[in-house]
Amino acid sequence: MSKPEKKDIDLLQVKGVGKPLKRILQWRGFHFTFILVNLFVFVIVLTAGFFGNPMGNMNFSIAVVWILWFAAVEFMILFGGRTWCTLCPLPAFGEWTARRKLVGVHKQKRWLSKDKKWPKKLDNMWVSALGFLGISLILPWLVTRPVVTGTLFLLLIVFGFLFALIYSGRFFCHSICPASSYIGYHSNASLFGVRARDKSVCEKHIAKECIRGGPKGYGCPWKLYPGGHEDNTYCGQCYECLKSCPMDNMTIKLRRPSTIVRELTNVAVKAKGKYDEAWMGFTRFTLAIFYELVFFGPYWFLKDWGNMGVNFGANLPTIGLLTPTLGGFQNWLMWVLIVAGVALLAYPAAFYGFSWLAKKAAKDKTKPTKQVFLSFSYALVPYGLFLWLAFAITILMVNWAYPLTAFSDPMGWGWDLLGMKFAWSPIVPDLIPYLQAPLFLIGLTFAIVVTYNIALKLFGSHKKAVRATTVMTVLHVATALIFVWIIMG
Amino acid sequence: MKKVLMWEFVGFVSLLLVLGAFSMPLFDDQFMGKQENEIIIRLNAEEAGGFMPGEITVKKGETVKLVLVGQDVTHGFKIEGLMDDVGTINPGEKKIVEFTPQESGVFVMMCTVYCSPNHHKMTGTVIVED
């Protein structure tokens, strides 16, 4: 093991915490129990989405998913990586059916699935990134119309089920789910990581139960080699490797910021041809700004464009209310062009331009610009995450009353099951920008540090790295100023 | 082997219980704490369904409690010839009013606050039986 790795905290060896935590994670009922609890919430989301109050703010599906969950996921990424994927009930029906087990481990080769290998062309996050962009293009509908949210989640569960019957493992989560990839992408800036204690133990161990499965656990459903983990992108934190490893060599590491920067730099430098991850970064980064604008910005016409001229909330019986007007649809197309244009073309083009300038400033002729561009894009992993954290803080502080009330009245029918009815009352709204500012300053600092480390590895000298980082910093500061301008209204 | 099967069985039963949450809307009356002689009317903009239910039947001379629940936007409520305007009912607000019909017949309940472009259509029927 190299020195910096030793500095990380091996959570499963922390006194008083490690042993019970390990026992829980190795218990086969752990995953099932958490998914079951979450599935209960999910069933309420579907029921309320289709049949509850058509007004979003009074409906559990909107209030809990697009306020509480949406914000909580960002914090989960920072502190727990893909913890949401551990709990997510969407792929559960497919996985249970394919395995023919709810809790236990079946004998090998008895999948109730075609067990096909994943198509190589789809072994990336393109579909997922474009899916996230796609649902963001109907954002004003999605986050205010319960039936749209209900339909989206129903489709995700159906696709999750079908994919599990065709492909082996978590192909749906790995490459299709619109949330999974951005969670994985930003998890590379997380304090959390599932890692081998000693990689050499895994290298020498021939049986490799973490890949093939064993009597106590399945082989990695995400088709990874857990013993060789160096990043968090595709580790779904299902902890099957912790269960199956007979060498007791898998653990959870609490990563220090220096480790995060080092591991992220390694991912960035090795990222050859990973345009999918670069565009995931651009999409997430620019959409953070659009989400802030749509949810809290003063530009009412943006919401109108996104709404396609429809003013009503809708559930299944009133779904007809969502028929857009022709003018509204035309405005929406304009909205699509702006959002997709900025996310897919304008910002990446600016980023490419700055990468080219950075390479020129570094006076380096050995590295192609596209490699510099791809590697530098990984600075958006922490930067984007902290922008989204700033957004999450706002949405929670402004709209906290809706999800709490929704737990007491999930259908929005006037129930008060838990005695929790709160009127909309934002918490210190005037101070929110002052809470957001430090968050994106941390993100910006992180981005600059990561860019410098990447540049150092790419160009091999401190001087060159500083020059290249200075150029990229201009872009990162400029985007930070745009964000500040937006949140200040 | 028996232990493994037991856990699968426990899991399956728990799963069924969780899926049972789909039946949640069926418990509306219990969750609303509905009393005898109480009628719950939910008020939606006409485009989203209007009064739910749109028709109620009551008995002449018997006191009825109406639980008016605002659903989407601010509404008002009155029953022409039976009950005066009860004032505004905001989204999420619950207003309980009582009335005792003294004559039988068919009456019209209506929204008294301009609530949507189809506000004028937001009406319902109150049937008073002997």
Side-chain angles (χ1 to χ4, degrees), chain A residues 32 36 43 47 53 55 58 102-104 321 411-415 417, chain B residues 8 11-12 14-15 18 22 24-25 28 31-32 42 47 71-72 92 94:
Chain A
F32 179 78
L36 210 58
V43 167
T47 314
N53 193 310
M55 301 306 293
M58 294 176 69
L102 292 171
V103 184
L321 292 173
M411 302 294 283
W413 284 352
W415 304 348
L417 304 177
Chain B
E8 292 301 318
F12 184 69
S14 319
L15 182 62
V18 162
F22 275 122
M24 183 180 58
D28 188 20
F31 289 161
M32 281 294 278
R42 294 197 166 87
E47 292 85 344
Q71 295 281 281
D72 44 11
K94 212 187 287 182

PDB file of all heavy atoms in Angstrom, chain A residues 32 36 43 47 53 55 58 102-104 321 411-415 417, chain B residues 8 11-12 14-15 18 22 24-25 28 31-32 42 47 71-72 92 94:
ATOM      1  N   PHE A  32     -31.872  -5.867   1.500  1.00  0.00           N
ATOM      2  CA  PHE A  32     -33.302  -6.091   1.299  1.00  0.00           C
ATOM      3  C   PHE A  32     -34.126  -5.187   2.224  1.00  0.00           C
ATOM      4  O   PHE A  32     -35.106  -4.564   1.796  1.00  0.00           O
ATOM      5  CB  PHE A  32     -33.630  -7.571   1.561  1.00  0.00           C
ATOM      6  CG  PHE A  32     -35.085  -7.886   1.399  1.00  0.00           C
ATOM      7  CD1 PHE A  32     -35.635  -8.037   0.134  1.00  0.00           C
ATOM      8  CD2 PHE A  32     -35.917  -8.024   2.502  1.00  0.00           C
ATOM      9  CE1 PHE A  32     -36.984  -8.319  -0.028  1.00  0.00           C
ATOM     10  CE2 PHE A  32     -37.266  -8.309   2.357  1.00  0.00           C
ATOM     11  CZ  PHE A  32     -37.794  -8.459   1.093  1.00  0.00           C
ATOM     12  N   LEU A  36     -36.673  -2.318   1.094  1.00  0.00           N
ATOM     13  CA  LEU A  36     -38.090  -2.490   1.427  1.00  0.00           C
ATOM     14  C   LEU A  36     -38.674  -1.209   2.022  1.00  0.00           C
ATOM     15  O   LEU A  36     -39.769  -0.781   1.650  1.00  0.00           O
ATOM     16  CB  LEU A  36     -38.220  -3.640   2.439  1.00  0.00           C
ATOM     17  CG  LEU A  36     -39.513  -4.426   2.387  1.00  0.00           C
ATOM     18  CD1 LEU A  36     -39.745  -5.037   1.029  1.00  0.00           C
ATOM     19  CD2 LEU A  36     -39.504  -5.505   3.451  1.00  0.00           C
ATOM     20  N   VAL A  43     -43.896   3.337  -3.267  1.00  0.00           N
ATOM     21  CA  VAL A  43     -45.292   2.970  -3.557  1.00  0.00           C
ATOM     22  C   VAL A  43     -46.196   4.178  -3.309  1.00  0.00           C
ATOM     23  O   VAL A  43     -47.119   4.457  -4.080  1.00  0.00           O
ATOM     24  CB  VAL A  43     -45.718   1.762  -2.676  1.00  0.00           C
ATOM     25  CG1 VAL A  43     -47.218   1.557  -2.723  1.00  0.00           C
ATOM     26  CG2 VAL A  43     -45.012   0.493  -3.132  1.00  0.00           C
ATOM     27  N   THR A  47     -48.631   6.029  -5.987  1.00  0.00           N
ATOM     28  CA  THR A  47     -50.067   6.180  -5.713  1.00  0.00           C
ATOM     29  C   THR A  47     -50.447   7.656  -5.717  1.00  0.00           C
ATOM     30  O   THR A  47     -51.439   8.061  -6.343  1.00  0.00           O
ATOM     31  CB  THR A  47     -50.417   5.563  -4.339  1.00  0.00           C
ATOM     32  OG1 THR A  47     -49.801   4.294  -4.244  1.00  0.00           O
ATOM     33  CG2 THR A  47     -51.911   5.424  -4.163  1.00  0.00           C
ATOM     34  N   ASN A  53     -53.585  14.640  -5.044  1.00  0.00           N
ATOM     35  CA  ASN A  53     -53.912  16.020  -5.400  1.00  0.00           C
ATOM     36  C   ASN A  53     -53.108  16.459  -6.632  1.00  0.00           C
ATOM     37  O   ASN A  53     -51.895  16.253  -6.685  1.00  0.00           O
ATOM     38  CB  ASN A  53     -53.546  16.921  -4.208  1.00  0.00           C
ATOM     39  CG  ASN A  53     -54.114  18.309  -4.343  1.00  0.00           C
ATOM     40  OD1 ASN A  53     -53.958  18.954  -5.367  1.00  0.00           O
ATOM     41  ND2 ASN A  53     -54.788  18.760  -3.313  1.00  0.00           N
ATOM     42  N   MET A  55     -52.159  19.238  -7.482  1.00  0.00           N
ATOM     43  CA  MET A  55     -51.210  20.334  -7.222  1.00  0.00           C
ATOM     44  C   MET A  55     -49.914  19.765  -6.645  1.00  0.00           C
ATOM     45  O   MET A  55     -49.936  19.078  -5.622  1.00  0.00           O
ATOM     46  CB  MET A  55     -51.800  21.340  -6.226  1.00  0.00           C
ATOM     47  CG  MET A  55     -53.087  21.966  -6.678  1.00  0.00           C
ATOM     48  SD  MET A  55     -52.945  22.722  -8.312  1.00  0.00           S
ATOM     49  CE  MET A  55     -51.826  24.042  -7.936  1.00  0.00           C
ATOM     50  N   MET A  58     -48.814  19.976  -2.921  1.00  0.00           N
ATOM     51  CA  MET A  58     -49.628  19.264  -1.933  1.00  0.00           C
ATOM     52  C   MET A  58     -49.572  17.755  -2.146  1.00  0.00           C
ATOM     53  O   MET A  58     -50.339  17.013  -1.543  1.00  0.00           O
ATOM     54  CB  MET A  58     -51.074  19.745  -2.008  1.00  0.00           C
ATOM     55  CG  MET A  58     -51.211  21.201  -1.598  1.00  0.00           C
ATOM     56  SD  MET A  58     -52.873  21.804  -1.802  1.00  0.00           S
ATOM     57  CE  MET A  58     -53.713  20.896  -0.530  1.00  0.00           C
ATOM     58  N   LEU A 102     -34.958 -13.219  -2.752  1.00  0.00           N
ATOM     59  CA  LEU A 102     -35.137 -11.874  -2.202  1.00  0.00           C
ATOM     60  C   LEU A 102     -33.963 -11.509  -1.299  1.00  0.00           C
ATOM     61  O   LEU A 102     -33.503 -10.376  -1.281  1.00  0.00           O
ATOM     62  CB  LEU A 102     -36.435 -11.800  -1.388  1.00  0.00           C
ATOM     63  CG  LEU A 102     -37.734 -11.929  -2.172  1.00  0.00           C
ATOM     64  CD1 LEU A 102     -38.908 -12.073  -1.206  1.00  0.00           C
ATOM     65  CD2 LEU A 102     -37.955 -10.719  -3.054  1.00  0.00           C
ATOM     66  N   VAL A 103     -33.534 -12.490  -0.517  1.00  0.00           N
ATOM     67  CA  VAL A 103     -32.525 -12.205   0.506  1.00  0.00           C
ATOM     68  C   VAL A 103     -31.225 -12.984   0.247  1.00  0.00           C
ATOM     69  O   VAL A 103     -30.138 -12.401   0.233  1.00  0.00           O
ATOM     70  CB  VAL A 103     -33.067 -12.567   1.913  1.00  0.00           C
ATOM     71  CG1 VAL A 103     -32.055 -12.188   2.977  1.00  0.00           C
ATOM     72  CG2 VAL A 103     -34.392 -11.857   2.172  1.00  0.00           C
ATOM     73  N   GLY A 104     -31.356 -14.275   0.039  1.00  0.00           N
ATOM     74  CA  GLY A 104     -30.182 -15.152   0.037  1.00  0.00           C
ATOM     75  C   GLY A 104     -29.408 -15.179  -1.272  1.00  0.00           C
ATOM     76  O   GLY A 104     -29.694 -14.440  -2.214  1.00  0.00           O
ATOM     77  N   LEU A 321     -55.375  17.862 -18.916  1.00  0.00           N
ATOM     78  CA  LEU A 321     -55.045  19.279 -18.708  1.00  0.00           C
ATOM     79  C   LEU A 321     -53.639  19.614 -19.180  1.00  0.00           C
ATOM     80  O   LEU A 321     -53.280  20.774 -19.299  1.00  0.00           O
ATOM     81  CB  LEU A 321     -55.156  19.624 -17.215  1.00  0.00           C
ATOM     82  CG  LEU A 321     -56.558  19.602 -16.612  1.00  0.00           C
ATOM     83  CD1 LEU A 321     -56.481  19.783 -15.117  1.00  0.00           C
ATOM     84  CD2 LEU A 321     -57.398  20.697 -17.233  1.00  0.00           C
ATOM     85  N   MET A 411     -51.529  12.111  -0.006  1.00  0.00           N
ATOM     86  CA  MET A 411     -52.350  12.282  -1.207  1.00  0.00           C
ATOM     87  C   MET A 411     -52.773  13.741  -1.411  1.00  0.00           C
ATOM     88  O   MET A 411     -53.352  14.084  -2.435  1.00  0.00           O
ATOM     89  CB  MET A 411     -53.616  11.411  -1.109  1.00  0.00           C
ATOM     90  CG  MET A 411     -53.368   9.931  -0.918  1.00  0.00           C
ATOM     91  SD  MET A 411     -52.559   9.162  -2.340  1.00  0.00           S
ATOM     92  CE  MET A 411     -53.928   9.027  -3.482  1.00  0.00           C
ATOM     93  N   GLY A 412     -52.534  14.573  -0.402  1.00  0.00           N
ATOM     94  CA  GLY A 412     -52.968  15.972  -0.509  1.00  0.00           C
ATOM     95  C   GLY A 412     -54.475  16.077  -0.447  1.00  0.00           C
ATOM     96  O   GLY A 412     -55.079  16.929  -1.093  1.00  0.00           O
ATOM     97  N   TRP A 413     -55.082  15.195   0.334  1.00  0.00           N
ATOM     98  CA  TRP A 413     -56.544  15.159   0.429  1.00  0.00           C
ATOM     99  C   TRP A 413     -57.062  15.740   1.743  1.00  0.00           C
ATOM    100  O   TRP A 413     -58.231  15.585   2.074  1.00  0.00           O
ATOM    101  CB  TRP A 413     -57.032  13.701   0.307  1.00  0.00           C
ATOM    102  CG  TRP A 413     -56.999  13.168  -1.095  1.00  0.00           C
ATOM    103  CD1 TRP A 413     -56.750  13.861  -2.229  1.00  0.00           C
ATOM    104  CD2 TRP A 413     -57.240  11.812  -1.489  1.00  0.00           C
ATOM    105  NE1 TRP A 413     -56.805  13.031  -3.311  1.00  0.00           N
ATOM    106  CE2 TRP A 413     -57.109  11.764  -2.899  1.00  0.00           C
ATOM    107  CE3 TRP A 413     -57.548  10.643  -0.813  1.00  0.00           C
ATOM    108  CZ2 TRP A 413     -57.279  10.591  -3.630  1.00  0.00           C
ATOM    109  CZ3 TRP A 413     -57.716   9.469  -1.544  1.00  0.00           C
ATOM    110  CH2 TRP A 413     -57.592   9.450  -2.931  1.00  0.00           C
ATOM    111  N   GLY A 414     -56.177  16.300   2.528  1.00  0.00           N
ATOM    112  CA  GLY A 414     -56.622  16.888   3.789  1.00  0.00           C
ATOM    113  C   GLY A 414     -56.379  16.001   4.998  1.00  0.00           C
ATOM    114  O   GLY A 414     -56.836  16.312   6.094  1.00  0.00           O
ATOM    115  N   TRP A 415     -55.664  14.879   4.824  1.00  0.00           N
ATOM    116  CA  TRP A 415     -55.363  14.016   5.959  1.00  0.00           C
ATOM    117  C   TRP A 415     -54.314  14.707   6.850  1.00  0.00           C
ATOM    118  O   TRP A 415     -53.619  15.621   6.412  1.00  0.00           O
ATOM    119  CB  TRP A 415     -54.752  12.675   5.514  1.00  0.00           C
ATOM    120  CG  TRP A 415     -55.574  11.899   4.541  1.00  0.00           C
ATOM    121  CD1 TRP A 415     -56.873  12.133   4.203  1.00  0.00           C
ATOM    122  CD2 TRP A 415     -55.141  10.771   3.752  1.00  0.00           C
ATOM    123  NE1 TRP A 415     -57.279  11.217   3.252  1.00  0.00           N
ATOM    124  CE2 TRP A 415     -56.242  10.372   2.960  1.00  0.00           C
ATOM    125  CE3 TRP A 415     -53.963  10.068   3.643  1.00  0.00           C
ATOM    126  CZ2 TRP A 415     -56.176   9.302   2.079  1.00  0.00           C
ATOM    127  CZ3 TRP A 415     -53.884   9.001   2.764  1.00  0.00           C
ATOM    128  CH2 TRP A 415     -54.989   8.620   1.987  1.00  0.00           C
ATOM    129  N   LEU A 417     -52.073  12.491   9.122  1.00  0.00           N
ATOM    130  CA  LEU A 417     -51.762  11.211   9.769  1.00  0.00           C
ATOM    131  C   LEU A 417     -50.745  11.358  10.896  1.00  0.00           C
ATOM    132  O   LEU A 417     -50.806  10.641  11.890  1.00  0.00           O
ATOM    133  CB  LEU A 417     -51.199  10.225   8.732  1.00  0.00           C
ATOM    134  CG  LEU A 417     -52.072   9.965   7.506  1.00  0.00           C
ATOM    135  CD1 LEU A 417     -51.357   9.039   6.534  1.00  0.00           C
ATOM    136  CD2 LEU A 417     -53.396   9.376   7.923  1.00  0.00           C
TER     137      LEU A 417
ATOM    138  N   GLU B   8     -36.466 -16.155   3.073  1.00  0.00           N
ATOM    139  CA  GLU B   8     -37.127 -15.812   1.808  1.00  0.00           C
ATOM    140  C   GLU B   8     -38.621 -15.600   2.045  1.00  0.00           C
ATOM    141  O   GLU B   8     -39.221 -14.689   1.482  1.00  0.00           O
ATOM    142  CB  GLU B   8     -36.913 -16.918   0.763  1.00  0.00           C
ATOM    143  CG  GLU B   8     -35.484 -17.067   0.273  1.00  0.00           C
ATOM    144  CD  GLU B   8     -34.925 -15.806  -0.357  1.00  0.00           C
ATOM    145  OE1 GLU B   8     -35.638 -15.141  -1.108  1.00  0.00           O
ATOM    146  OE2 GLU B   8     -33.750 -15.477  -0.053  1.00  0.00           O
ATOM    147  N   GLY B  11     -39.143 -12.358   3.822  1.00  0.00           N
ATOM    148  CA  GLY B  11     -38.951 -11.296   2.829  1.00  0.00           C
ATOM    149  C   GLY B  11     -40.170 -11.134   1.945  1.00  0.00           C
ATOM    150  O   GLY B  11     -40.628 -10.015   1.700  1.00  0.00           O
ATOM    151  N   PHE B  12     -40.719 -12.259   1.499  1.00  0.00           N
ATOM    152  CA  PHE B  12     -41.869 -12.216   0.590  1.00  0.00           C
ATOM    153  C   PHE B  12     -43.088 -11.591   1.269  1.00  0.00           C
ATOM    154  O   PHE B  12     -43.775 -10.746   0.697  1.00  0.00           O
ATOM    155  CB  PHE B  12     -42.182 -13.634   0.111  1.00  0.00           C
ATOM    156  CG  PHE B  12     -43.291 -13.685  -0.910  1.00  0.00           C
ATOM    157  CD1 PHE B  12     -43.086 -13.156  -2.186  1.00  0.00           C
ATOM    158  CD2 PHE B  12     -44.514 -14.234  -0.592  1.00  0.00           C
ATOM    159  CE1 PHE B  12     -44.109 -13.186  -3.121  1.00  0.00           C
ATOM    160  CE2 PHE B  12     -45.543 -14.268  -1.533  1.00  0.00           C
ATOM    161  CZ  PHE B  12     -45.333 -13.743  -2.797  1.00  0.00           C
ATOM    162  N   SER B  14     -43.056  -9.558   3.846  1.00  0.00           N
ATOM    163  CA  SER B  14     -42.788  -8.127   4.058  1.00  0.00           C
ATOM    164  C   SER B  14     -43.019  -7.353   2.769  1.00  0.00           C
ATOM    165  O   SER B  14     -43.569  -6.250   2.781  1.00  0.00           O
ATOM    166  CB  SER B  14     -41.347  -7.886   4.499  1.00  0.00           C
ATOM    167  OG  SER B  14     -40.938  -8.840   5.411  1.00  0.00           O
ATOM    168  N   LEU B  15     -42.606  -7.960   1.667  1.00  0.00           N
ATOM    169  CA  LEU B  15     -42.780  -7.302   0.367  1.00  0.00           C
ATOM    170  C   LEU B  15     -44.262  -7.091   0.060  1.00  0.00           C
ATOM    171  O   LEU B  15     -44.678  -6.009  -0.373  1.00  0.00           O
ATOM    172  CB  LEU B  15     -42.122  -8.158  -0.721  1.00  0.00           C
ATOM    173  CG  LEU B  15     -42.159  -7.614  -2.139  1.00  0.00           C
ATOM    174  CD1 LEU B  15     -41.406  -6.293  -2.246  1.00  0.00           C
ATOM    175  CD2 LEU B  15     -41.543  -8.615  -3.107  1.00  0.00           C
ATOM    176  N   VAL B  18     -45.596  -4.251   2.109  1.00  0.00           N
ATOM    177  CA  VAL B  18     -45.169  -2.947   1.579  1.00  0.00           C
ATOM    178  C   VAL B  18     -45.993  -2.585   0.345  1.00  0.00           C
ATOM    179  O   VAL B  18     -46.467  -1.460   0.200  1.00  0.00           O
ATOM    180  CB  VAL B  18     -43.656  -2.981   1.256  1.00  0.00           C
ATOM    181  CG1 VAL B  18     -43.278  -1.859   0.318  1.00  0.00           C
ATOM    182  CG2 VAL B  18     -42.852  -2.883   2.540  1.00  0.00           C
ATOM    183  N   PHE B  22     -50.269   0.450  -1.726  1.00  0.00           N
ATOM    184  CA  PHE B  22     -51.020   0.919  -2.892  1.00  0.00           C
ATOM    185  C   PHE B  22     -52.499   1.126  -2.552  1.00  0.00           C
ATOM    186  O   PHE B  22     -53.202   1.860  -3.230  1.00  0.00           O
ATOM    187  CB  PHE B  22     -50.923  -0.093  -4.044  1.00  0.00           C
ATOM    188  CG  PHE B  22     -49.689   0.070  -4.891  1.00  0.00           C
ATOM    189  CD1 PHE B  22     -48.793  -0.968  -5.045  1.00  0.00           C
ATOM    190  CD2 PHE B  22     -49.425   1.268  -5.537  1.00  0.00           C
ATOM    191  CE1 PHE B  22     -47.659  -0.824  -5.831  1.00  0.00           C
ATOM    192  CE2 PHE B  22     -48.291   1.424  -6.323  1.00  0.00           C
ATOM    193  CZ  PHE B  22     -47.399   0.377  -6.468  1.00  0.00           C
ATOM    194  N   MET B  24     -53.667   2.513   0.006  1.00  0.00           N
ATOM    195  CA  MET B  24     -53.796   3.660   0.905  1.00  0.00           C
ATOM    196  C   MET B  24     -55.032   4.552   0.611  1.00  0.00           C
ATOM    197  O   MET B  24     -55.743   4.930   1.551  1.00  0.00           O
ATOM    198  CB  MET B  24     -52.506   4.464   0.793  1.00  0.00           C
ATOM    199  CG  MET B  24     -52.375   5.654   1.661  1.00  0.00           C
ATOM    200  SD  MET B  24     -50.783   6.443   1.347  1.00  0.00           S
ATOM    201  CE  MET B  24     -50.906   6.789  -0.398  1.00  0.00           C
ATOM    202  N   PRO B  25     -55.315   4.881  -0.657  1.00  0.00           N
ATOM    203  CA  PRO B  25     -56.462   5.766  -0.909  1.00  0.00           C
ATOM    204  C   PRO B  25     -57.792   5.186  -0.433  1.00  0.00           C
ATOM    205  O   PRO B  25     -58.740   5.930  -0.189  1.00  0.00           O
ATOM    206  CB  PRO B  25     -56.460   5.937  -2.431  1.00  0.00           C
ATOM    207  CG  PRO B  25     -55.082   5.611  -2.859  1.00  0.00           C
ATOM    208  CD  PRO B  25     -54.586   4.579  -1.887  1.00  0.00           C
ATOM    209  N   ASP B  28     -59.476   6.486   2.878  1.00  0.00           N
ATOM    210  CA  ASP B  28     -59.730   7.934   2.945  1.00  0.00           C
ATOM    211  C   ASP B  28     -60.612   8.319   4.133  1.00  0.00           C
ATOM    212  O   ASP B  28     -60.270   9.206   4.917  1.00  0.00           O
ATOM    213  CB  ASP B  28     -60.378   8.375   1.631  1.00  0.00           C
ATOM    214  CG  ASP B  28     -60.495   9.886   1.522  1.00  0.00           C
ATOM    215  OD1 ASP B  28     -59.754  10.576   2.257  1.00  0.00           O
ATOM    216  OD2 ASP B  28     -61.307  10.375   0.732  1.00  0.00           O
ATOM    217  N   PHE B  31     -58.797   7.934   7.435  1.00  0.00           N
ATOM    218  CA  PHE B  31     -57.711   8.915   7.589  1.00  0.00           C
ATOM    219  C   PHE B  31     -58.256  10.324   7.799  1.00  0.00           C
ATOM    220  O   PHE B  31     -57.602  11.174   8.391  1.00  0.00           O
ATOM    221  CB  PHE B  31     -56.776   8.892   6.372  1.00  0.00           C
ATOM    222  CG  PHE B  31     -55.922   7.645   6.292  1.00  0.00           C
ATOM    223  CD1 PHE B  31     -55.322   7.275   5.097  1.00  0.00           C
ATOM    224  CD2 PHE B  31     -55.703   6.849   7.412  1.00  0.00           C
ATOM    225  CE1 PHE B  31     -54.527   6.141   5.016  1.00  0.00           C
ATOM    226  CE2 PHE B  31     -54.912   5.710   7.340  1.00  0.00           C
ATOM    227  CZ  PHE B  31     -54.326   5.350   6.142  1.00  0.00           C
ATOM    228  N   MET B  32     -59.446  10.577   7.264  1.00  0.00           N
ATOM    229  CA  MET B  32     -60.047  11.904   7.452  1.00  0.00           C
ATOM    230  C   MET B  32     -60.793  11.972   8.785  1.00  0.00           C
ATOM    231  O   MET B  32     -61.286  13.029   9.170  1.00  0.00           O
ATOM    232  CB  MET B  32     -61.029  12.217   6.315  1.00  0.00           C
ATOM    233  CG  MET B  32     -60.364  12.655   5.044  1.00  0.00           C
ATOM    234  SD  MET B  32     -59.533  14.233   5.203  1.00  0.00           S
ATOM    235  CE  MET B  32     -60.880  15.371   4.986  1.00  0.00           C
ATOM    236  N   ARG B  42     -64.360  17.790  -1.573  1.00  0.00           N
ATOM    237  CA  ARG B  42     -63.074  18.383  -1.952  1.00  0.00           C
ATOM    238  C   ARG B  42     -63.299  19.376  -3.085  1.00  0.00           C
ATOM    239  O   ARG B  42     -64.038  19.094  -4.033  1.00  0.00           O
ATOM    240  CB  ARG B  42     -62.090  17.293  -2.366  1.00  0.00           C
ATOM    241  CG  ARG B  42     -61.739  16.397  -1.197  1.00  0.00           C
ATOM    242  CD  ARG B  42     -60.472  15.585  -1.442  1.00  0.00           C
ATOM    243  NE  ARG B  42     -60.008  15.000  -0.202  1.00  0.00           N
ATOM    244  CZ  ARG B  42     -60.423  13.812   0.273  1.00  0.00           C
ATOM    245  NH1 ARG B  42     -61.294  13.104  -0.415  1.00  0.00           N
ATOM    246  NH2 ARG B  42     -59.971  13.367   1.417  1.00  0.00           N
ATOM    247  N   GLU B  47     -61.584  22.523 -14.033  1.00  0.00           N
ATOM    248  CA  GLU B  47     -60.752  21.792 -14.999  1.00  0.00           C
ATOM    249  C   GLU B  47     -60.130  20.551 -14.361  1.00  0.00           C
ATOM    250  O   GLU B  47     -59.749  19.609 -15.054  1.00  0.00           O
ATOM    251  CB  GLU B  47     -59.623  22.697 -15.512  1.00  0.00           C
ATOM    252  CG  GLU B  47     -60.078  23.863 -16.380  1.00  0.00           C
ATOM    253  CD  GLU B  47     -60.508  25.084 -15.569  1.00  0.00           C
ATOM    254  OE1 GLU B  47     -60.743  24.938 -14.345  1.00  0.00           O
ATOM    255  OE2 GLU B  47     -60.613  26.158 -16.158  1.00  0.00           O
ATOM    256  N   GLN B  71     -58.354  22.153  -2.376  1.00  0.00           N
ATOM    257  CA  GLN B  71     -57.340  21.279  -2.979  1.00  0.00           C
ATOM    258  C   GLN B  71     -56.262  22.024  -3.753  1.00  0.00           C
ATOM    259  O   GLN B  71     -55.087  21.744  -3.605  1.00  0.00           O
ATOM    260  CB  GLN B  71     -58.024  20.290  -3.936  1.00  0.00           C
ATOM    261  CG  GLN B  71     -58.944  19.318  -3.257  1.00  0.00           C
ATOM    262  CD  GLN B  71     -58.189  18.175  -2.595  1.00  0.00           C
ATOM    263  OE1 GLN B  71     -57.763  17.241  -3.243  1.00  0.00           O
ATOM    264  NE2 GLN B  71     -58.017  18.265  -1.300  1.00  0.00           N
ATOM    265  N   ASP B  72     -56.680  22.946  -4.605  1.00  0.00           N
ATOM    266  CA  ASP B  72     -55.671  23.476  -5.528  1.00  0.00           C
ATOM    267  C   ASP B  72     -55.489  24.987  -5.434  1.00  0.00           C
ATOM    268  O   ASP B  72     -54.382  25.471  -5.273  1.00  0.00           O
ATOM    269  CB  ASP B  72     -56.001  23.062  -6.961  1.00  0.00           C
ATOM    270  CG  ASP B  72     -57.468  23.211  -7.315  1.00  0.00           C
ATOM    271  OD1 ASP B  72     -58.217  23.830  -6.520  1.00  0.00           O
ATOM    272  OD2 ASP B  72     -57.869  22.719  -8.387  1.00  0.00           O
ATOM    273  N   GLY B  92     -55.387  23.325   0.904  1.00  0.00           N
ATOM    274  CA  GLY B  92     -54.913  22.643   2.107  1.00  0.00           C
ATOM    275  C   GLY B  92     -55.745  22.975   3.337  1.00  0.00           C
ATOM    276  O   GLY B  92     -55.619  22.328   4.367  1.00  0.00           O
ATOM    277  N   LYS B  94     -59.136  23.276   5.689  1.00  0.00           N
ATOM    278  CA  LYS B  94     -60.329  22.469   5.905  1.00  0.00           C
ATOM    279  C   LYS B  94     -61.346  23.351   6.625  1.00  0.00           C
ATOM    280  O   LYS B  94     -61.025  23.930   7.665  1.00  0.00           O
ATOM    281  CB  LYS B  94     -59.967  21.291   6.808  1.00  0.00           C
ATOM    282  CG  LYS B  94     -60.744  20.035   6.544  1.00  0.00           C
ATOM    283  CD  LYS B  94     -60.463  18.981   7.580  1.00  0.00           C
ATOM    284  CE  LYS B  94     -59.122  18.326   7.481  1.00  0.00           C
ATOM    285  NZ  LYS B  94     -58.940  17.280   8.499  1.00  0.00           N
TER     286      LYS B  94
END
